[in-house]
Amino acid sequence: MNIKQAKDYIENTVRLYLKKDEFGEYRIPVVRQRPVFLLGAPGIGKTAVMEQIAQELNIALVSYSMTHHTRQSALGLPFISHREYEGVKFDVSEYTMSEIIASIYEVMENSGIKEGILFLDEINCVSETLAPSMLQFLQYKVFGRHKVPDGWVIVTAGNPPEYNKSVREFDVVTMDRMKVLEVEPDYKVWKEYAQHKGLHAAVLNFLELKKDYFYRIETTVNGRNYVTARGWEDLSEILALYEEEGMKVDETLVEQYLRNERIVKEFTAYYDLFNKYKKEYQTEEILEGTAKAQTAERARVAAFDERLSLLGMLIDKVISETREDMEISDYLVELLKNLKTIKAALEKCAENPKKAIPVEQMLETQIQGRKKQMESARMAGSLSEAERRKGRRLIRFLEEEKKKLLMEGISEEKEAFASLKAAFDSETMELKNRTTRTGKRLEHLFAFTENAFPEGNEMLILVTELTVNNDSARFIGQFGCPAYQRHSNDLMLSERGNSLQEEIAALDLEGM
């Protein structure tokens, strides 16, 4: 299976393991909650998937790499305890709490979240001294003499032996206590993730042309060559920083992330070509609808790779803009809830003036509440990047409005709320202007694609990419795009027509 299918399966497993009966007991007893064992090649996103699951289920996540643990750190250190049995004193060996178990309790205490996932990576690389204890742990959730708290689901991961010399193959008895999921790299699934994360367009466009370069591990006379999903993502981030600083990207940089000489050379050459296309085609003019006629003509006669690269640049640009618009929209929806809470509180205060609370105090309460919520999620390992940005926007708005009320000496409730509403309306109008501009740029992109590629598959690619990407699909669904709707309908009719023709051909009516 691919990593997306594995994510869905693990998420459903965790959900079922945490399901309780009418008395608050877990429906599946702890001893029957088989840990999940995610077995797959390195760098395909196993850890990222666990973070996503914790965020979506609003539970905590504690992650450990088992290669870093000795028997002492995982099981605890021995110490002498003095006991007395029936009047006779004894010295007894006991163990301190496992570092892993202690981390779970620490997360629960700091975050207030009592259920979560204990994710143990590279579990099949445990030290020789720790290996005998793993069977007890996998069945009974016990490290040494200390048990994993109820409500914590164990998910493990590891690499197959061909990828890691440190792997110790589990015996049948151990494997029989786990739910094993074998995961293979899948470019299509990773592309969805990469687009949502906003990875560099040069990386996405290159892999669209060279899909077989997405994940590759080879053993040669010079050693092992490898290119992984993690490598592409890390390369994307450093490319963006290099561009911000005006630094030159060369093979020396690329080979730090992609350990395959041929792919390094090809990507570096493509990256230079990508920037050349970006400059010569003036992509910003295309999206603003001011591109010259010769730009479309050049694209029309260009080679396939050049056309696809140009279209990829344009799609990446508009998708990133729709992503920003939708994040602002989500933030304003959340902010509206805050303002409604303040309005309801003011109406309640109006009924009992003696218990009136200043608006700036209400704002401070919301600020501290949001900060506490974000810190709790952060401590639990379940704060997504999108939630973090939304929270920061909310806090910034509330803090600025509180400061404004204090500086201008606005204390009367109606006037204070009117000031808040005016600030909210201003940001709402700004979003409206943004989405109008983004909508126009989408229309210009469709118009250019119609003009430059009247007979190619570029329009199908454009409609497909906008459809499968969550941000652009949400944007179009919420704010509309007539050109998208028109071409989407046309392509559906065309595909249906082709399907009917194929069905008719299969019937072989003429031969009857």
Side-chain angles (χ1 to χ4, degrees), residues 180-195:
V180 182
L181 303 179
E182 296 188 22
V183 184
E184 297 291 336
D186 187 316
Y187 168 70
K188 184 178 179 182
V189 169
W190 180 82
K191 180 183 173 183
E192 292 180 27
Y193 162 81
Q195 284 185 324

Side-chain angles (χ1 to χ4, degrees), residues 235-378:
L235 175 61
S236 170
E237 290 186 3
I238 201 67
L239 287 178
L241 293 175
Y242 261 61
E243 290 172 358
E244 285 181 19
E245 297 297 323
M247 300 167 69
K248 181 176 174 54
V249 173
D250 55 19
E251 289 184 12
T252 302
L253 173 69
V254 177
E255 69 183 2
Q256 295 170 31
Y257 300 91
L258 311 177
R259 304 299 297 172
N260 182 295
E261 184 177 356
R262 178 180 177 182
I263 296 176
V264 167
K265 289 184 178 297
E266 289 193 29
F267 176 77
T268 306
Y270 176 80
Y271 178 77
D272 292 337
L273 197 60
F274 175 87
N275 287 322
K276 178 174 178 286
Y277 293 155
K278 191 174 182 180
K279 181 179 180 181
E280 293 181 353
Y281 273 103
Q282 298 293 312
T283 54
E284 192 59 29
E285 291 183 1
I286 293 174
L287 295 177
E288 286 295 322
T290 60
K292 298 179 177 63
Q294 51 264 42
T295 302
E297 181 58 31
R298 173 182 171 177
R300 186 180 301 114
V301 299
F304 172 74
D305 287 6
E306 184 172 333
R307 297 200 309 271
L308 198 59
S309 295
L310 172 60
L311 187 62
M313 286 181 223
L314 296 168
I315 292 173
D316 178 74
K317 186 74 174 173
V318 296
I319 283 180
S320 66
E321 290 171 2
T322 60
R323 183 184 307 115
E324 179 70 13
D325 290 351
M326 294 314 301
E327 283 193 0
I328 295 173
S329 176
D330 291 341
Y331 144 69
L332 289 175
V333 169
E334 190 78 10
L335 178 57
L336 182 60
K337 296 177 184 177
N338 289 59
L339 297 186
K340 285 182 176 179
T341 300
I342 292 175
K343 185 178 180 181
L346 289 174
E347 290 173 352
K348 191 172 182 180
C349 289
E351 297 173 2
N352 191 349
K354 292 182 179 180
K355 294 185 178 181
I357 303 173
V359 175
E360 58 267 22
Q361 186 175 329
M362 295 181 187
L363 292 172
E364 182 60 26
T365 300
Q366 291 190 348
I367 291 168
Q368 295 306 320
R370 175 61 64 166
K371 286 182 176 180
K372 184 178 180 180
Q373 178 186 341
M374 291 176 63
E375 181 61 16
S376 174
R378 187 189 69 79

Side-chain angles (χ1 to χ4, degrees), residues 54-329:
Q55 291 160 10
E56 291 170 12
L57 295 181
N58 196 29
I59 58 177
L61 173 67
V62 171
S63 299
Y64 268 96
S65 174
M66 295 306 294
T67 55
H68 301 152
H69 280 281
T70 62
R71 185 176 187 277
Q72 288 75 21
S73 64
L75 303 182
L77 294 170
F79 67 92
I80 303 299
S81 175
H82 304 293
R83 299 287 184 87
E84 183 175 326
Y85 302 107
E86 297 182 352
V88 180
K89 295 182 179 180
F90 295 91
D91 289 337
V92 180
S93 295
E94 297 220 14
Y95 284 85
T96 59
M97 181 176 283
S98 160
E99 177 186 324
I100 296 173
I101 304 297
S103 295
I104 295 175
Y105 281 108
E106 185 176 352
V107 166
M108 288 196 296
E109 183 177 352
N110 292 333
S111 68
I113 298 176
K114 303 302 181 183
E115 294 181 327
I117 297 170
L118 172 59
F119 178 56
L120 302 179
D121 199 6
E122 300 181 357
I123 195 171
N124 53 351
C125 294
V126 296
S127 65
E128 188 174 347
T129 57
L130 183 56
S133 304
M134 295 313 298
L135 184 62
Q136 179 191 29
F137 165 71
L138 292 172
Q139 182 164 8
Y140 298 107
K141 294 186 177 182
V142 174
F143 267 132
R145 297 188 62 178
H146 299 280
K147 183 175 176 293
V148 175
D150 289 348
W152 282 75
V153 178
I154 297 172
V155 179
T156 66
N159 305 135
E162 60 266 30
Y163 296 113
N164 193 331
K165 293 181 180 179
S166 302
V167 165
R168 303 168 57 86
E169 290 197 49
F170 287 144
D171 53 34
V172 174
V173 176
T174 304
M175 293 293 283
D176 190 43
R177 283 161 171 77
M178 297 189 291
K179 300 172 70 167
V180 182
L181 303 179
E182 296 188 22
V183 184
E184 297 291 336
D186 187 316
Y187 168 70
K188 184 178 179 182
V189 169
W190 180 82
K191 180 183 173 183
E192 292 180 27
Y193 162 81
Q195 284 185 324
H196 182 69
K197 288 276 289 186
L199 265 61
H200 199 289
V203 169
L204 293 174
N205 288 356
F206 177 76
L207 290 176
E208 197 63 26
L209 295 168
K210 303 281 187 177
K211 294 182 178 65
D212 57 328
Y213 286 177
F214 163 60
Y215 199 100
R216 180 172 292 195
I217 295 182
E218 303 170 338
T219 301
T220 69
V221 292
N222 297 321
R224 179 158 288 191
N225 295 333
Y226 55 89
V227 176
T228 68
R230 182 190 296 120
W232 287 114
E233 184 170 357
D234 291 346
L235 175 61
S236 170
E237 290 186 3
I238 201 67
L239 287 178
L241 293 175
Y242 261 61
E243 290 172 358
E244 285 181 19
E245 297 297 323
M247 300 167 69
K248 181 176 174 54
V249 173
D250 55 19
E251 289 184 12
T252 302
L253 173 69
V254 177
E255 69 183 2
Q256 295 170 31
Y257 300 91
L258 311 177
R259 304 299 297 172
N260 182 295
E261 184 177 356
R262 178 180 177 182
I263 296 176
V264 167
K265 289 184 178 297
E266 289 193 29
F267 176 77
T268 306
Y270 176 80
Y271 178 77
D272 292 337
L273 197 60
F274 175 87
N275 287 322
K276 178 174 178 286
Y277 293 155
K278 191 174 182 180
K279 181 179 180 181
E280 293 181 353
Y281 273 103
Q282 298 293 312
T283 54
E284 192 59 29
E285 291 183 1
I286 293 174
L287 295 177
E288 286 295 322
T290 60
K292 298 179 177 63
Q294 51 264 42
T295 302
E297 181 58 31
R298 173 182 171 177
R300 186 180 301 114
V301 299
F304 172 74
D305 287 6
E306 184 172 333
R307 297 200 309 271
L308 198 59
S309 295
L310 172 60
L311 187 62
M313 286 181 223
L314 296 168
I315 292 173
D316 178 74
K317 186 74 174 173
V318 296
I319 283 180
S320 66
E321 290 171 2
T322 60
R323 183 184 307 115
E324 179 70 13
D325 290 351
M326 294 314 301
E327 283 193 0
I328 295 173
S329 176

Side-chain angles (χ1 to χ4, degrees), residues 376-495:
S376 174
R378 187 189 69 79
M379 293 299 299
S382 59
L383 181 64
S384 69
E385 183 62 22
E387 284 297 315
R388 184 183 67 83
R389 288 196 296 269
K390 181 169 69 175
R392 284 187 171 182
R393 280 191 168 107
L394 274 167
I395 291 170
R396 182 177 61 189
F397 177 93
L398 297 172
E399 287 180 336
E400 288 178 352
E401 291 308 305
K402 177 191 170 187
K403 182 179 179 181
K404 178 182 174 183
L405 293 178
L406 291 172
M407 289 183 65
E408 296 182 4
I410 303 174
S411 58
E412 201 276 324
E413 288 83 355
K414 288 185 178 180
E415 186 180 355
F417 186 77
S419 178
L420 291 177
K421 186 176 183 304
F424 175 80
D425 290 343
S426 176
E427 295 210 14
T428 302
M429 181 56 66
E430 185 178 336
L431 174 63
K432 183 177 180 181
N433 293 334
R434 283 184 61 97
T435 56
T436 298
R437 178 175 181 266
T438 302
K440 289 180 179 178
R441 288 162 72 83
L442 275 169
E443 294 288 335
H444 294 151
L445 174 54
F446 274 98
F448 177 82
T449 306
E450 290 173 356
N451 189 22
F453 315 116
E455 298 178 356
N457 290 323
E458 285 78 5
M459 185 60 74
L460 176 60
I461 294 172
L462 172 59
V463 171
T464 301
E465 292 295 331
L466 294 177
T467 302
V468 300
N469 181 269
N470 183 57
D471 299 304
S472 55
R474 285 183 64 208
F475 178 93
I476 292 170
Q478 186 168 333
F479 302 107
C481 179
Y484 167 86
Q485 198 63 50
R486 185 173 67 254
H487 285 285
S488 178
N489 292 338
D490 289 345
L491 289 168
M492 287 177 65
L493 289 173
S494 174
E495 290 173 4

